[in-house]
Amino acid sequence: MIFERRTFLKFFPAISGLPFLNLTENEPGAAKLALRFIVASDGHYGQPGTDFKANHSDLIGWINQEKVQKGVDFTIINGDLIHDDPTLLYDVKSTFENLRVPYYVTRGNHDKVGVDVWQSTWGYSTNHSFAKGEYAFILGDTSNEKGEYVCPDIQWLKSEINKYSAAKGIYIFLHITPEKWTSGGVDCKEVTTLFEKTPNVKAIFHGHDHDQDSQKNLGGKPYFFDGHFGGNWGTTYKGYRVVEIFQDETWQTYQYNPTAAPILNSFTGKK
């Protein structure tokens, strides 16, 4: 997979009070969007010493604004929804209900609830997937009720990847990275080899490492991090990642800092 920097103009932020203008919309040959979604991680709802309610309110406001200005098909909250206290799961769900877009969640190591509680709360298990048009999205579990770091279920991943073998692209979401890039990673060689050998796996997305907001590569696949939008450590800003898939099957992603409005670490993937 080859990456190159796209034009910056497309991501120029809307000026407050003025309508958003897509500055590449009328460029000759500009590809039309098929899907646009947001990935955000590590809100840590309920963490002592943090303004977790304001952090969640900010994220929801940012995503709802993106929905109006640029369009958002769905959002994925990639783990650590709460901070250790299982009784907070209902509260954080009630908070996310203020999103004006569909959203999906993965279990992180601080989401210390059992699979049965997760299922009854969200309506799906800690391992789940869905399709949008001709693209598939696989959300795997990388922890357990004790908060331990674990590799995702390789047999389940193989089954899901096989189910979506005809998809134009598969995007994977795992709270904890299956490679020991940081002290928070887990060595899951079977998993990374599976991704490497699956042509239509386009990218893998992670939370967990709050100080990581860029890209790493392994086996010809890109692995992306999105920093954090809550918690008490990590990047100096709280933000999220945007992914755009185009009708010509190319795609691009960038990390976004809503308070300063710069685009960070923008990459474009070939079909």
Side-chain angles (χ1 to χ4, degrees), residues 13 25 37 50 125 192 207:
E25 184 177 1
F37 63 92
T50 68
S125 186
T192 56

Side-chain angles (χ1 to χ4, degrees), residues 6-10 22-31:
R6 296 277 287 208
T7 174
F8 180 81
L9 288 177
K10 181 169 185 180
N22 187 331
L23 299 179
T24 60
E25 184 177 1
N26 298 316
E27 287 183 0

